Amino acid sequence: MSALQPAAQEELAALLDSLEIALLNLENGSPQATVTGLRLLVRAAQLLGSFTHLPEVQRLQQEIQHLIAQPETLHPQHVRQALQEAHQVLEALAQQLPGLQVRLLIVEPDDGLADLLTTMLQTAYRDISVVHTADEAKQFLEKTPVHLIITELLLPDLDGRSLLLWIRRHPPTAQTPILILSDRISSAVKAECYALGADDVLEKPFDPAEVSLVVASMLQRAMVRHPGDPLTGLPGRAYLEETFARLVQLHRQTGSPFCVACIELDNLTALNQRYGQHVSDEVIRQTAWQLVRMLRAGDILGRWDTDTFCILLPDASETQARMLLEQALEALQTEPMLVDTNAPPVSFSACIVPIGQTAPPSLATLIQQAQQCLKKGDKGGKIYSLRANIDTQPHILLVEDDPAIATLIQIRLQRDGYKVTHFANGREAAEWAQTHIADLVILDVKLPGMDGFELLAHLRQLPSYSAVPIMMLTSLSQEQHIVRGFELGADDYIVKPFSPVELSARVRRLLQRQAPQLAVV
């Protein structure tokens, strides 16, 4: 059997769902179903071009060519028969492709209804899992990527709307299609479900044909809108490039930091040759899920190529991006893969590309540059930074309640080429730091809301600020204050009144010390 590339496998999954929709529409007498079915048959013939050596494929292609050649004699029954045969042939191919697997999760407390839905929706390429409570659903989704979630609202442990909200706030499932299938759904409840992120809402008792059609349509739209890799469930190139363009525009408007990371698995070819395709596929899948678990809300992970992942990291400085990759690398190297082999721990090499305020190249160009960087460097758990032709602007968080001093510092740092975010209140700065990352922090001690020492301790407890340089700038010159600052994690301590030139030099020294070289780790 000829192999299908990941993109062709994605098309196969989407086409199977499209064929199912067309067959249901033909049964319902839709006037456009015949024309749509014929178009799908042409797509099927193109996709099956690699399998013309199979007798069933040859017969199907001859039938499709006959229908296309004589459109004046086109009859819905002929199209229906060809669609049914195409669906059977493609499903048979799907069964022989272990990487092609569309995963569905059903959250339904009623065993009988769960069994009915599973029977209705089961196909050769769909892997359907059932859980009965919201807690079970959360545990499942923490470990396994899915392409579609079907959930009841009346759950034993939690209102389904709360589960819906959790799903939409959970980064790996933020874009996953959700179908609400529940009893006694009023117009107000339906509107609320849509507002919380549901893609469709149906009421029980349901029409099996309608549910099948809705599920097939949602999966088909998901594969087109979010053409995920069938093996990992991650977005593909098209979605990554579209999202990258949107994030670049946002980055240029706000000035917030933005990085792209290119990750290549080390020695995947050798692993495949020694243990087989099924083991390397499982390593790729588990690696993808480990990476997803390490990311923050808003980060986007996709599979770019066979052994290459791409991560879009909005609101992440180069320091933050490096820290995330280091944590992911450590997790992969210490947590064994769940495969039946003695394969060594998985490792990867990565290249971080910080995006500046000037218009960056396309994502494809950036990934190509990153891959060239990785090709030149040493493999095996190395993390590189690519700054060539990339404009970067270090981001400094300044917390100072004296307006005159704050203005002086901002003017000096901005003149040095830094982006400065200023707060006069310690608590407001702490809230900002929960969702933003700076390359360096300058803190006064006497602050309203939360004093500088409290804020310093708070920042050091945040994973994203554990390694960020922090400078204390204060009028407190007693030895116990200076000692306390360093004990709480300060990297430098300047006493007011200060020299702006000295401040600028110290900031530059801390940033240079923090900036990664081409190869670290």
Side-chain angles (χ1 to χ4, degrees):
M1 174 179 172
S2 301
L4 282 179
Q5 296 299 317
Q9 293 191 25
E10 295 171 7
E11 184 181 356
L12 173 56
L15 183 55
L16 280 165
D17 289 316
S18 300
L19 291 171
E20 185 175 339
I21 296 169
L23 286 168
L24 289 168
N25 285 334
L26 277 169
E27 292 178 5
N28 294 333
S30 172
Q32 295 295 323
T34 301
V35 176
T36 301
L38 189 60
R39 290 173 181 168
L40 292 175
L41 288 172
V42 173
R43 282 179 56 194
Q46 294 171 344
L47 184 62
L48 291 169
S50 301
F51 303 95
T52 52
H53 60 285
L54 300 176
E56 60 271 26
V57 171
Q58 294 177 7
R59 288 194 301 271
L60 177 60
Q61 289 190 319
Q62 290 173 1
E63 185 174 350
I64 294 172
Q65 291 172 358
H66 179 73
L67 288 173
I68 296 173
Q70 300 182 19
E72 66 279 359
T73 62
L74 196 62
H75 190 277
Q77 182 60 30
H78 298 151
V79 176
R80 180 184 293 109
Q81 291 175 352
L83 285 172
Q84 290 173 339
E85 185 175 353
H87 197 275
Q88 292 173 357
V89 170
L90 290 171
E91 273 207 322
L93 292 176
Q95 289 180 309
Q96 302 177 56
L97 294 172
L100 179 58
Q101 193 173 61
V102 177
R103 298 181 182 88
L104 285 72
L105 175 64
I106 297 174
V107 189
E108 172 56 63
D110 188 310
D111 287 331
L113 280 176
D115 291 342
L116 174 61
L117 286 169
T118 301
T119 302
M120 287 168 39
L121 302 176
Q122 189 69 61
T123 67
Y125 64 97
R126 290 179 185 167
D127 179 13
I128 300 178
S129 300
V130 175
V131 297
H132 300 92
T133 68
D135 186 59
E136 290 175 354
K138 291 179 181 180
Q139 293 181 28
F140 184 91
L141 293 171
E142 288 281 5
K143 299 178 181 178
T144 308
V146 299
H147 296 84
L148 174 66
I149 301 169
I150 303 173
T151 182
E152 163 70 77
L153 290 180
L154 304 175
L155 299 174
D157 56 340
L158 189 68
D159 187 290
R161 286 164 289 192
S162 297
L163 174 62
L164 175 58
L165 184 61
W166 180 90
I167 291 171
R168 284 294 174 245
R169 289 179 173 175
H170 186 50
T173 56
Q175 303 295 328
T176 304
I178 302 173
L179 170 62
I180 301 295
L181 197 59
S182 188
D183 289 305
R184 300 184 296 277
I185 300 180
S186 66
S187 57
V189 171
K190 182 177 291 189
E192 185 180 2
C193 289
Y194 282 124
L196 291 173
D199 293 86
D200 210 337
V201 182
L202 297 178
E203 188 173 4
K204 298 175 182 176
F206 53 79
D207 178 358
E210 182 184 10
V211 172
S212 297
L213 177 60
V214 168
V215 167
S217 298
M218 291 175 70
L219 286 172
Q220 195 270 343
R221 290 197 305 270
M223 296 301 291
V224 172
R225 183 181 73 244
H226 186 297
D229 167 40
L231 178 62
T232 63
L234 296 176
R237 289 193 182 192
Y239 182 84
L240 287 169
E241 290 175 337
E242 175 187 340
T243 306
F244 173 76
R246 176 168 49 83
L247 290 176
V248 165
Q249 183 178 9
L250 181 64
H251 159 70
R252 298 182 69 186
Q253 290 173 351
T254 63
S256 58
F258 178 28
C259 287
V260 174
C262 175
I263 294 177
E264 288 189 356
L265 296 181
D266 297 323
N267 302 320
L268 186 65
T269 301
L271 187 70
N272 187 15
Q273 292 175 346
R274 181 170 182 179
Y275 298 104
Q277 182 71 42
H278 69 287
V279 170
S280 61
D281 281 350
E282 187 60 21
V283 166
I284 291 171
R285 191 186 71 80
Q286 293 187 39
T287 299
W289 195 238
Q290 286 277 23
L291 291 172
V292 167
R293 292 175 61 188
M294 301 301 298
L295 298 183
R296 312 161 304 159
D299 295 339
I300 305 296
L301 172 68
R303 190 180 179 196
W304 187 262
D305 210 339
T306 303
D307 60 350
T308 304
F309 295 96
C310 172
I311 310 179
L312 307 181
L313 298 161
D315 289 323
S317 67
E318 189 175 331
T319 302
Q320 170 69 350
R322 176 174 295 278
M323 184 175 66
L324 287 171
L325 293 178
E326 288 172 348
Q327 291 173 346
L329 183 61
E330 182 180 1
L332 284 174
Q333 292 176 333
T334 56
E335 298 182 19
M337 286 285 165
L338 301 178
V339 291
D340 296 330
T341 68
N342 294 319
V346 176
S347 178
F348 65 75
S349 298
C351 183
I352 301 168
V353 185
I355 307 300
Q357 287 295 303
T358 57
S362 66
L363 180 61
T365 300
L366 290 180
I367 296 297
Q368 183 179 22
Q369 293 174 355
Q371 289 175 326
Q372 290 173 352
C373 171
L374 292 173
K375 188 178 296 184
K376 294 177 182 178
D378 296 328
K379 291 294 184 73
K382 299 292 185 180
I383 300 178
Y384 300 88
S385 295
L386 180 65
R387 288 180 172 271
N389 301 320
I390 302 296
D391 175 36
T392 59
Q393 187 181 32
H395 192 177
I396 296 177
L397 171 62
L398 170 64
V399 192
E400 169 62 64
D401 65 333
D402 187 316
I405 294 178
T407 301
L408 172 65
I409 294 174
Q410 283 183 279
I411 291 174
R412 180 72 199 194
L413 294 178
Q414 288 170 351
R415 186 182 302 165
D416 290 341
Y418 305 128
K419 172 180 169 59
V420 181
T421 295
H422 169 242
F423 290 96
N425 183 288
R427 191 165 302 280
E428 292 177 358
E431 292 174 356
W432 181 88
Q434 295 287 345
T435 55
H436 298 78
I437 182 69
D439 294 289
L440 183 140
V441 181
I442 301 175
L443 298 180
D444 189 7
V445 172
K446 296 179 180 179
L447 294 169
M450 177 187 291
D451 72 39
F453 289 136
E454 291 178 305
L455 180 55
L456 172 60
H458 173 78
L459 291 176
R460 285 304 186 217
Q461 291 176 355
L462 298 176
S464 55
Y465 280 84
S466 63
V468 172
I470 299 179
M471 176 190 297
M472 306 301 294
L473 181 63
T474 176
S475 59
L476 298 179
S477 59
Q478 293 88 345
E479 182 178 343
Q480 66 266 29
H481 294 135
I482 298 174
V483 171
R484 185 183 179 193
F486 282 114
E487 286 180 343
L488 290 173
D491 295 274
D492 204 346
Y493 197 104
I494 299 180
V495 177
K496 299 176 183 177
F498 62 94
S499 162
V501 175
E502 180 186 358
L503 174 69
S504 179
R506 292 192 181 215
V507 166
R508 185 165 56 252
R509 176 182 60 82
L510 287 174
L511 287 172
Q512 288 175 345
R513 188 186 72 186
Q514 192 69 13
Q517 302 300 314
L518 180 62
V520 188
V521 180

